[in-house]
Amino acid sequence: MVRDPFASESTPSAAEICAALDDPDCREIIQNLEEPMTASELTKRCEIPQSTLYRKLELLTEATLLEESTEIRQDGHHASKYSIAFDEISLGLDDDLSLSVQIDRPARTADERLADLWSEVRKET
């Protein structure tokens, strides 16, 4: 399932985001995502076992820190690609002293907006 943090209807809790960022493997994944990469590419780059890597990718996408998209290939074997879905994360205290989080996301390109629109059209058909 492809997850798009830009289209996410619910913001993850500060605890979920902090848990993902507290994980050393998750931080290593983020540090190595200079460009969109597949899980196989990340496994080689990060030296994290593939089964562990998939769990960490799930944790990061659920926390909306990574965007998962599908790379369409001519041979029909499509692949998920992962990219960083934030520019900055700010933690703060609300008036009731509960932890709050704000995620600043990068601006969407015209291609990304078109892909979003196409994705919505496909859902309707």
Side-chain angles (χ1 to χ4, degrees):
M1 175 178 182
V2 176
R3 287 178 202 85
D4 182 359
F6 297 91
S8 180
E9 294 177 10
S10 63
T11 303
S13 69
E16 290 172 298
I17 292 170
C18 289
L21 293 173
D22 187 45
D23 186 293
D25 289 336
C26 288
R27 289 194 308 272
E28 184 177 355
I29 290 167
I30 290 170
Q31 289 171 340
N32 282 285
L33 270 175
E34 297 166 1
E35 60 186 350
M37 299 175 80
T38 65
S40 296
E41 293 167 335
L42 282 166
T43 298
K44 293 173 190 168
R45 173 90 48 100
C46 298
E47 297 181 14
I48 297 172
Q50 196 163 18
S51 60
T52 301
L53 183 88
Y54 279 111
R55 286 195 312 273
K56 303 306 178 173
L57 290 172
E58 180 76 16
L59 180 62
L60 288 164
T61 54
E62 288 295 322
T64 69
L65 300 177
L66 293 186
E67 177 181 10
E68 180 183 358
S69 60
T70 302
E71 177 183 57
I72 307 298
R73 296 181 177 169
Q74 291 285 342
D75 64 4
H77 294 95
H78 309 313
S80 289
K81 283 205 155 194
Y82 299 88
S83 57
I84 297 172
F86 65 93
D87 286 329
E88 186 175 328
I89 299 171
S90 303
L91 295 173
L93 289 176
D94 288 334
D95 292 337
D96 64 355
L97 299 180
S98 62
L99 195 60
S100 66
V101 66
Q102 178 181 342
I103 302 175
D104 293 332
R105 306 229 184 254
R108 304 289 277 174
T109 66
D111 289 347
E112 291 167 329
R113 291 192 309 271
L114 180 59
D116 293 343
L117 180 61
W118 182 248
S119 178
E120 290 300 317
V121 168
R122 285 193 337 212
K123 286 180 193 175
E124 297 295 325
T125 58

